[in-house]
Amino acid sequence: MMERLYWIETWGCQMNEHDSEKMAGILEGLGYQRSPNVEAADLALLNTCAIREKAEEKVYQALGRLGEAKRQRPEMIVVVAGCVSQLAGQQVRERAPMVDLVIGPRAVSRLPEHLARLEDERGIVDTTLYQDSLMRRSEPVRKMKERGKAWVTVMEGCNKTCSYCVVPATRGREESRQLDDILGEVMALAAEGYVEIEFLGQNVNAYRCPQSGAGLADLLRAAGRVEGIRRLRFTTSHPLHLRQPIIDAMAEVPEVCPALHLPVQSGSTAVLKAMRRGYSREKYLERVEQLRRAVPDIALGTDVIVGFPGESEEDFQQTLSLVREVGFDQMFSFVYSSRPGTVAGMMADSVPHERKVEQLIELQALQREIQFERHQRLVGREVEVLVEGRSRRSEAEWAGRTACNRVVNFPGEEVEAGQMLTVRVTEARPNSLRGELVRADEAAFLT
Ligand code: 5AD
Ligand code: SF4
């Protein structure tokens, strides 16, 4: 058989990155191999994100670049997958007629059928939100991420109605996998040597086994008992759905990491209401308190949007004060972007873009300060690190993550990705820590 090469470029969240792993697994099952560059690829796949307008624009820029490669080699198959496909499938074909296949995130498992159809047909668009998209998840997954850590999808879709968000439109209604299937996958990953598992779902707290009715808390407890699993995480959590049983499981299951991403979006109750988030500033703060009572050292991450339609300067001040009050360990912040088909998309985008950018800069400066201060408290402490690979800053150093999801860089010899090590923190930086190796944990080498 002739060797065929594929190339995948991915934008967006972990869900999307994991979908890319699944599609890579499918392609390798069909005999494709990863291409070192896009020019040599027989199949180029763009896995896209539509969360903000900028993310969507990047796809068209990438398609523009791909156009040249396709002109040189017309037999190259161009696939557009992910959330832009779902939201604007036909438009993608209209703006970039050279695209051979447009496939939505809930149609990933149909990739082999569509590739076969491409033999005598061009321009296939499949944005069906297949109900069985999760049930059929038996495809091999080609891990692209660091050794040692793996993602496992537990649910897909989102039934929330946040007024700014396209995700319910791109990923469809919530659907959960069977608990036994998930545990089977966790056991298989543990047997391969993976020590950290992150459960994925757009609204992961809403996980409910369709057979037994078991929730996320039950899943965490069961997964914690799987031999070889050292760390469990889950993302993304909605403050409203993060109920006591999940918090109890976080406190009681030692494998569940003391870290949580809990997007707040705004510190102003009025804006939260307009966003249809279903909680007030006070309610969010109560949740944080509840979490900190149960897991005292918990590291909290969040997402914030600035410049929501109708947001006032006072609302923005409320966001700053909430960020100060909680003292997040990590924050992703965004300028509001009006999205088609959303409720907020129909409101006047009232905050001038320049003001939104200024607010973003101010918010990020505050967060940097808070993070730096929190990191300084860790200097001198010993932390357990899962090695991800070489440090981005220096080839001579390694990079790993603590249970709290902080990046630690450290020098060392005979270190391997996937290893669990104990490192002493020697220096704090705003976005990472530096440390020195104390000892390797011999129990956690990958096979
Ligand atoms: N504009 C800006 N940011 C958005 N997000 C979601 N929708 C929008 C939008 N329309 C942010 C939210 C979410 C994160 C993944 O992206 O903060 O939590
Ligand atoms: Fe982007 Fe949201 Fe889709 Fe993830 S689910 S790829 S963040 S639009």
Side-chain angles (χ1 to χ4, degrees):
M1 194 167 66
M2 213 174 59
E3 190 180 85
R4 289 180 300 175
L5 300 176
Y6 73 92
W7 170 263
I8 298 188
E9 192 164 353
T10 310
W11 293 270
C13 59
Q14 288 110 312
M15 274 59 84
N16 236 31
E17 286 198 43
H18 189 40
D19 282 347
S20 286
E21 292 183 336
K22 290 171 190 164
M23 291 188 280
I26 292 173
L27 291 171
E28 291 184 13
L30 294 172
Y32 280 89
Q33 286 180 22
R34 183 179 301 263
S35 175
N37 54 57
V38 68
E39 289 76 22
D42 300 288
L43 183 150
L45 190 153
L46 305 180
N47 195 8
T48 64
C49 171
I51 199 90
R52 284 167 291 275
E53 195 180 351
K54 244 196 204 147
E56 198 173 337
E57 272 313 310
K58 280 190 195 147
V59 177
Y60 292 106
Q61 286 161 12
L63 281 171
R65 290 195 299 272
L66 258 185
E68 186 49 37
K70 176 92 173 173
R71 268 190 292 281
Q72 302 282 334
R73 297 179 47 239
E75 69 282 7
M76 178 169 93
I77 297 170
V78 177
V79 183
V80 177
C83 291
V84 174
S85 297
Q86 194 63 40
L87 209 61
Q90 286 301 344
Q91 258 159 278
V92 171
R93 282 272 309 149
E94 279 156 28
R95 277 182 71 171
M98 53 104 170
V99 173
D100 299 296
L101 168 63
V102 175
I103 188 167
R106 294 286 277 259
V108 160
S109 60
R110 303 300 200 274
L111 190 57
E113 295 152 44
H114 292 318
L115 290 179
R117 270 173 65 197
L118 281 181
E119 305 269 323
D120 34 42
E121 189 182 344
R122 286 282 134 143
I124 300 170
V125 177
D126 186 0
T127 52
T128 316
L129 295 164
Y130 289 102
Q131 284 289 310
D132 62 354
S133 60
L134 281 171
M135 312 314 154
R136 290 175 42 136
R137 278 294 150 69
S138 51
E139 308 93 30
V141 171
R142 165 67 161 85
K143 298 274 171 243
M144 286 194 276
K145 276 286 158 183
E146 45 314 332
R147 293 170 71 201
K149 177 182 167 173
W151 287 311
V152 174
T153 307
V154 302
M155 59 84 68
E156 265 217 59
C158 184
N159 292 356
K160 308 297 300 172
T161 51
C162 302
S163 59
Y164 51 81
C165 189
V166 289
V167 175
T170 65
R171 298 262 173 180
R173 306 284 297 167
E174 288 171 5
E175 209 162 328
S176 293
R177 287 176 72 190
Q178 303 279 10
L179 184 100
D180 288 346
D181 290 351
I182 300 170
L183 279 182
E185 196 173 327
V186 172
M187 281 180 217
L189 288 164
E192 275 180 61
Y194 288 94
V195 290
E196 181 174 318
I197 302 287
E198 187 161 30
F199 291 132
L200 298 182
Q202 270 79 33
N203 185 8
V204 74
N205 304 150
Y207 170 76
R208 193 143 299 281
C209 173
Q211 199 173 33
S212 65
L216 182 66
D218 306 298
L219 175 61
L220 291 170
R221 288 178 193 276
R225 288 193 289 269
V226 172
E227 180 80 31
I229 295 302
R230 304 278 299 266
R231 286 180 175 181
L232 292 169
R233 303 182 194 277
F234 51 97
T235 206
T236 288
S237 290
H238 191 291
L240 202 64
H241 294 262
L242 187 80
R243 301 206 200 279
Q244 195 62 47
I246 303 176
I247 297 178
D248 290 344
M250 291 191 79
E252 290 160 20
V253 180
E255 289 78 15
V256 178
C257 291
L260 188 73
H261 191 65
L262 196 65
V264 65
Q265 311 300 1
S266 169
S268 151
T269 297
V271 173
L272 288 168
K273 199 159 181 203
M275 288 178 165
R276 304 196 179 174
R277 288 291 287 171
Y279 56 86
S280 60
R281 171 193 176 95
E282 289 69 33
K283 191 94 207 148
Y284 184 89
L285 290 171
E286 254 171 51
R287 268 287 189 271
V288 168
E289 220 175 274
Q290 203 181 347
L291 275 163
R292 286 193 166 143
R293 265 199 308 272
V295 187
D297 277 333
I298 194 164
L300 290 172
T302 204
D303 292 343
V304 174
I305 298 176
V306 299
F308 188 78
E311 185 174 314
S312 66
E313 288 298 330
E314 170 53 27
D315 291 321
F316 175 62
Q317 291 304 320
Q318 293 261 313
T319 294
L320 291 176
S321 93
L322 180 129
V323 166
R324 231 178 261 121
E325 194 170 332
V326 175
F328 291 105
D329 296 270
Q330 193 187 36
M331 183 178 79
F332 298 101
S333 48
F334 311 99
V335 158
Y336 169 75
S337 165
S338 174
R339 304 311 291 133
T342 60
V343 170
M346 288 181 286
M347 302 176 190
D349 199 352
S350 59
V351 183
H353 184 73
E354 305 75 64
R355 182 62 195 135
K356 288 184 196 167
V357 173
E358 281 168 14
Q359 289 176 336
L360 194 73
I361 291 170
E362 189 175 346
L363 183 61
Q364 290 178 347
L366 170 64
Q367 179 56 25
R368 212 177 144 82
E369 235 174 76
I370 294 170
Q371 241 165 258
F372 190 34
E373 196 265 325
R374 291 182 79 81
H375 283 180
Q376 277 165 332
R377 288 194 224 162
L378 293 170
V379 174
R381 275 226 242 157
E382 285 188 5
V383 289
E384 191 190 58
V385 170
L386 174 61
V387 184
E388 292 189 344
R390 292 281 177 189
S391 151
R392 257 188 283 169
R393 287 164 172 262
S394 140
E395 265 297 298
E397 294 203 355
W398 295 91
R401 274 181 198 268
T402 64
C404 284
N405 229 356
R406 292 184 173 92
V407 174
V408 186
N409 297 300
F410 59 96
E413 276 161 36
E414 290 175 40
V415 173
E416 264 184 79
Q419 238 179 326
M420 283 272 211
L421 305 170
T422 303
V423 170
R424 184 177 301 104
V425 179
T426 53
E427 190 188 328
R429 293 179 180 146
N431 292 315
S432 64
L433 302 167
R434 263 199 100 231
E436 61 193 16
L437 192 57
V438 178
R439 62 182 172 271
D441 176 346
E442 71 290 346
F445 277 93
L446 272 189
T447 45

